Amino acid sequence: MHSLDSPRTATSLAQVYLLDRDAGLLCRILSLYAARGLDVLRVDYAYAAQHVMKLQVSVDCIHAETEEVLRVLVDKASTLIGVLAASDHAASEWRAA
């Protein structure tokens, strides 16, 4: 995994999850990325409500099959208990802090 201030590449994709505030659930979602060998560029999370957090994961999309792997990850993660919603989209411009 790269450090959080890695430069953004033009070929990155992001996925957004709304989930119960649960560190174990967050770790299970991130382990899905690690298990598939995806290069995580950035992870952001914020509280969306009292017991709900928003998790955004941006990955390097250098391989053609990465988009399909990410679609599978959204499906797998959305079946985990505590995930309220999951979606994927092109990553917005992120600047290194």
Side-chain angles (χ1 to χ4, degrees):
M1 187 182 301
H2 291 287
S3 64
L4 293 179
D5 61 351
S6 296
R8 182 189 167 278
T9 63
T11 57
S12 66
L13 291 174
Q15 293 180 303
V16 177
Y17 302 94
L18 287 179
L19 51 121
D20 289 336
R21 246 172 50 182
D22 179 354
L25 180 59
L26 180 123
C27 290
R28 286 181 16 212
I29 290 173
L30 293 176
S31 70
L32 292 173
Y33 290 85
R36 281 151 184 87
L38 294 173
D39 192 11
V40 175
L41 298 173
R42 185 172 179 142
V43 175
D44 287 315
Y45 68 93
Y47 299 117
Q50 185 176 6
H51 297 289
V52 177
M53 65 186 287
K54 174 185 166 189
L55 170 68
Q56 183 167 346
V57 181
S58 179
V59 300
D60 198 354
C61 189
I62 56 174
H63 303 292
E65 63 275 358
T66 303
E67 286 188 48
E68 182 58 30
V69 171
L70 290 176
R71 278 192 269 286
V72 170
L73 282 177
V74 166
D75 290 339
K76 282 190 167 289
S78 63
T79 64
L80 296 174
I81 302 296
V83 173
L84 307 173
S87 65
D88 59 333
H89 57 83
S92 60
E93 283 293 326
W94 288 350
R95 293 191 174 106

